[in-house]
């Protein structure tokens, strides 16, 4: 699977008939984010949210009508991607410190 396809999969833009973003946009976002698929996915989803937020929520012409995606649902997905990125970046390592400190009063000397 190409990085562009991975980004599309992450953001849910997989409908080949009506994609939110052109391939060139996804390629640009990958380049801007150091070819990091997750960071490019976050950037791509932010672009889609901006597009959706600026469109009418519903349109109707004769018998044809369409209701746009919910910005709230897209923002929830964006937060999930951000959480996934942050979980990859920050891994907690337990550290045990042994000191001869009896209380925290010695820190007062630093500020006085």
């Amino acid at each position: 699977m190409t990085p562009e396809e991975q980004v599309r999969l992450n953001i849910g833009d997989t409908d080949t008939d009506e994609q939110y973003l052109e391939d060139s946009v996804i390629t640009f976002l990958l380049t801007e984010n150091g070819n990091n698929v997750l960071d490019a996915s976050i950037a791509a989803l932010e672009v889609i949210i901006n597009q959706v937020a600026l469109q009418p929520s519903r349109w109707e012409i004769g018998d044809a009508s369409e209701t746009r995606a919910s910005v709230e649902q897209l923002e929830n997905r964006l937060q999930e991607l951000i959480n996934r990125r942050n979980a990859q970046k920050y891994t907690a390592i337990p550290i045990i410190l042994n000191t001869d400190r009896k209380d925290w009063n010695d820190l007062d000397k630093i500020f006085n």
Side-chain angles (χ1 to χ4, degrees):
M1 184 176 281
T2 68
E4 288 81 4
E5 292 170 331
Q6 291 174 34
V7 170
R8 286 200 184 281
L9 188 61
N10 281 341
I11 64 176
D13 191 15
T14 56
D15 183 358
T16 55
D17 293 329
E18 291 186 39
Q19 294 177 327
Y20 281 100
L21 301 177
E22 295 179 16
D23 289 337
S24 60
V25 173
I26 292 178
T27 301
F28 170 78
L29 293 173
L30 279 163
T31 302
E32 287 293 303
N33 288 283
N35 289 319
N36 183 300
V37 170
L38 195 51
D39 287 341
S41 299
I42 290 168
L45 197 51
E46 288 173 337
V47 169
I48 291 172
I49 288 170
N50 288 332
Q51 287 179 359
V52 169
L54 296 174
Q55 295 174 356
S57 60
R58 179 173 168 73
W59 64 263
E60 186 173 335
I61 301 174
D63 293 336
S65 67
E66 183 176 295
T67 304
R68 71 169 164 83
S70 164
V71 171
E72 182 180 350
Q73 290 172 331
L74 292 171
E75 287 175 337
N76 288 341
R77 179 62 183 144
L78 175 62
Q79 190 58 51
E80 289 172 9
L81 289 175
I82 291 170
N83 291 345
R84 192 164 80 183
R85 178 190 62 193
N86 291 344
Q88 289 178 355
K89 285 186 177 181
Y90 308 109
T91 306
I93 300 172
I95 298 175
I96 299 173
L97 299 176
N98 293 319
T99 68
D100 59 349
R101 177 173 284 155
K102 304 292 184 221
D103 59 37
W104 291 94
N105 291 333
D106 56 338
L107 291 178
D108 291 336
K109 294 176 188 173
I110 297 172
F111 300 104
N112 293 328

